[in-house]
Amino acid sequence: HKYDGEWVVEEPSNQEFPGNKGLILKSPGRHHAIATYIHPVFHFNSKPLCLQYEVFFQKGIDCGGAYIKLLSHSDDLRLSQFNDVTPYTIMFGPDKCGNTYKVHFIFRHWNPVTGLYEEKHAQQPEADLSEYFIDHKPHLYTLNLYPDNTFEILIDQVLVNQGSLLMDMDPPVVPPCEIEDPEDTKPTNWDDRNHIPDPAVMKPQDWDEEAPQFIADPKAQRPLAWIEEEEPFIPHPEAHPPIDWSVDMDGEWEAPLIANPACSEAPGCGPWKPPMVSNPAYKGKWKAPMIDNPNYQGKWKPQMVPNPAYFEDPQPFKMSPVGAVGFELWSLTGNVLFDNILLCDDLELAKRWTEDTWGQRQTPGIVKRLLSATIKHPWLWSVYVFTVGLPIILFVSFMWPDKRFGPPDQDYYYKKSDEPQPDSPQDTESNSCLSDCGENTGIQTTELGEYQLKSQPC
């Protein structure tokens, strides 16, 4: 009766690919559970495990999970009784509540000492995962487990997390070989104070610990126009108790207070008190200066003893066999779509499957992804301008055509350090007479007051 949420198989709301249906969690705020057996049973031997599926939060997600469970194979497994305590081997997938965005990877590990299964959680990725929950697009979640006890988590074929089953799980798969002795207690004479008050220093006799921090200003005087006989606020003379006011039920009625009109032109009314100022005689509580403790023994720690729960498991990859796959979820938001669920031990097969399903859809290229990122982070435009625009400007500035470079039959602009070159036949000879007939050259003033060279014919 707890799992009253509705499941349907239908097309997504955007209908980008007509006929492409998915399994949809429909009912918001309700518990959903659905599962199916797999044949044959999946055993963790010498081949890797690949688990992947698509999730589409069509209406976004406020709070809820979209993770998938690989249920442990046993003779007692009954999917008609599938619920939150049904034993599972792996739980994997996205989960969000509040401002926390997660991609879970949890597996149940058998403790041979206690005889119980313990949940081992992978550390969360460092990358920001919020975009996968709020962009209203389907995303592909992939978990790869390898026989060498390593794992990979990918979203949309991009690696977001990886690690070791032996080193990167919390709590660790292999417990510590030594633990603190739970029966060890700190000795009563153990001194772990790093510093102590200097016993050789005494409080000065004139040190007054009772002096207040603030005192009334002795220089302050009451203003002459201050009216002590009048109160600063008086009851509103025109206010009346509500008609339904009951003294027995509501108590004695009191009119609201208003500013006293008699004090409107006075600097103040009522009892006058001088303002408070800092007390020059105030010294506060006396404390002796601190010195290093000569008897300091360091921070006490209980002694280490062998861990009675210690065991070794060099192959945590060999988990409980998987007999079924299912979703057991609660979500505050409905219309969560699941599609293209794959569980296999062949990565090449998984690659082809991805190409035939996820790969058939047009995913944005790198340029479109960069432009989309500016919607959420407008400051990226400055990064793009600096990293793309600046090199283009520098390239154009240095490589722009110059007269110093070009075909040999064209005019050049020569530097002063170049060898003398013959004049071009196209050059004008207007100024050649200036050098030959210097005495015949003069300066005359035009009507506009400008100066110009005047030369006589050579």
Side-chain angles (χ1 to χ4, degrees):
H1 299 290
K2 174 181 177 181
Y3 297 91
D4 56 354
E6 180 186 7
W7 294 95
V8 298
V9 176
E10 64 183 19
E11 296 183 20
S13 56
N14 57 16
Q15 294 184 347
E16 291 185 2
F17 299 90
N20 182 31
K21 298 181 179 181
L23 176 65
I24 299 180
L25 178 152
K26 293 292 289 185
S27 309
R30 296 195 178 188
H31 293 270
H32 297 71
I34 191 170
T36 184
Y37 294 103
I38 60 173
H39 302 285
V41 174
F42 187 95
H43 293 272
F44 294 85
N45 294 319
S46 59
K47 294 184 178 182
L49 172 140
C50 178
L51 170 62
Q52 71 178 32
Y53 67 109
E54 295 179 32
V55 179
F56 184 9
F57 297 112
Q58 300 185 85
K59 294 185 176 180
I61 181 72
D62 294 322
C63 184
Y67 39 79
I68 192 171
K69 288 184 177 181
L70 302 185
L71 305 182
S72 303
H73 172 69
S74 70
D75 295 336
D76 299 329
L77 180 60
R78 298 290 183 271
L79 297 188
S80 59
Q81 303 298 319
F82 178 38
N83 56 65
D84 55 342
V85 297
T86 301
Y88 68 88
T89 300
I90 291 175
M91 189 175 83
F92 169 68
D95 187 17
K96 187 255 183 181
C97 200
N99 293 324
T100 303
Y101 302 87
K102 295 182 178 181
V103 175
H104 290 295
F105 165 41
I106 307 171
F107 75 94
R108 296 173 70 248
H109 183 258
W110 172 257
N111 187 322
V113 177
T114 62
L116 301 174
Y117 279 94
E118 300 174 349
E119 289 186 348
K120 308 297 180 181
H121 297 246
Q123 299 176 4
Q124 288 299 311
E126 297 181 357
D128 181 13
L129 304 176
S130 60
E131 191 69 21
Y132 301 110
F133 293 80
I134 63 177
D135 62 357
H136 297 274
K137 296 179 181 179
H139 294 285
L140 178 67
Y141 293 84
T142 305
L143 170 66
N144 292 329
L145 288 179
Y146 298 96
D148 63 353
N149 300 312
T150 60
F151 68 88
E152 296 175 341
I153 297 176
L154 302 93
I155 304 179
D156 298 343
Q157 298 295 284
V158 177
L159 183 68
V160 297
N161 196 8
Q162 62 181 344
S164 167
L165 299 179
L166 289 169
M167 304 297 295
D168 301 309
M169 307 302 291
D170 183 30
V173 170
V174 179
C177 58
E178 289 186 336
I179 61 172
E180 295 180 349
D181 188 353
E183 299 181 357
D184 193 12
T185 57
K186 183 173 72 172
T188 56
N189 60 349
W190 187 278
D191 193 347
D192 56 4
R193 298 174 300 167
N194 196 5
H195 299 89
I196 60 172
D198 190 347
V201 180
M202 304 298 293
K203 182 178 73 171
Q205 293 183 354
D206 60 346
W207 191 284
D208 186 5
E209 293 184 345
E210 304 299 329
Q213 184 176 2
F214 298 97
I215 58 173
D217 188 353
K219 300 180 180 180
Q221 295 182 353
R222 188 187 69 181
L224 296 177
W226 190 281
I227 307 176
E228 287 191 309
E229 297 79 10
E230 295 286 346
E231 292 294 332
F233 297 96
I234 60 173
H236 197 305
E238 298 180 0
H240 301 283
I243 299 177
D244 57 349
W245 186 275
S246 172
V247 176
D248 296 334
M249 298 293 294
D250 304 317
E252 194 70 28
W253 181 82
E254 294 181 359
L257 299 178
I258 61 172
N260 190 345
C263 303
S264 59
E265 297 182 359
C269 291
W272 179 84
K273 293 181 180 180
M276 304 298 287
V277 295
S278 297
N279 184 3
Y282 172 76
K283 295 184 178 180
K285 189 73 175 178
W286 182 86
K287 295 181 180 179
M290 305 298 288
I291 61 172
D292 293 337
N293 184 3
N295 299 321
Y296 178 66
Q297 297 176 270
K299 294 297 181 180
W300 181 85
K301 294 181 179 180
Q303 63 180 351
M304 304 299 290
V305 296
N307 185 1
Y310 175 75
F311 67 92
E312 291 186 0
D313 183 3
Q315 280 293 320
F317 170 77
K318 295 186 176 180
M319 307 175 189
S320 302
V322 177
V325 58
F327 295 101
E328 187 272 317
L329 304 168
W330 177 90
S331 178
L332 193 60
T333 309
N335 282 317
V336 182
L337 182 144
F338 304 93
D339 198 6
N340 296 322
I341 304 169
L342 174 67
L343 173 64
C344 69
D345 59 6
D346 187 342
L347 297 183
E348 285 298 323
L349 172 64
K351 180 179 179 181
R352 295 195 303 270
W353 171 272
T354 304
E355 292 174 352
D356 292 340
T357 55
W358 177 259
Q360 292 298 317
R361 301 173 191 167
Q362 294 181 0
T363 56
I366 183 64
V367 175
K368 188 173 181 180
R369 286 176 178 267
L370 292 175
L371 294 177
S372 299
T374 60
I375 300 176
K376 185 176 180 181
H377 305 289
W379 53 267
L380 286 174
W381 281 113
S382 60
V383 177
Y384 297 163
V385 171
F386 182 79
T387 57
V388 179
L390 183 61
I392 293 176
I393 294 173
L394 293 176
F395 177 81
V396 172
S397 300
F398 283 105
M399 300 305 293
W400 191 262
D402 197 304
K403 285 188 175 182
R404 287 172 290 180
F405 309 97
D409 58 345
Q410 299 293 327
D411 293 337
Y412 294 92
Y413 172 79
Y414 292 97
K415 302 186 294 295
K416 291 182 178 181
S417 58
D418 292 340
E419 294 295 330
Q421 302 292 326
D423 291 338
S424 172
Q426 299 176 357
D427 289 344
T428 61
E429 300 292 342
S430 58
N431 294 332
S432 61
C433 297
L434 297 179
S435 59
D436 299 336
C437 309
E439 60 181 5
N440 295 326
T441 304
I443 301 176
Q444 68 177 9
T445 306
T446 65
E447 293 181 355
L448 298 177
E450 300 174 344
Y451 293 97
Q452 68 179 10
L453 290 175
K454 179 181 180 183
S455 60
Q456 301 295 333
C458 295

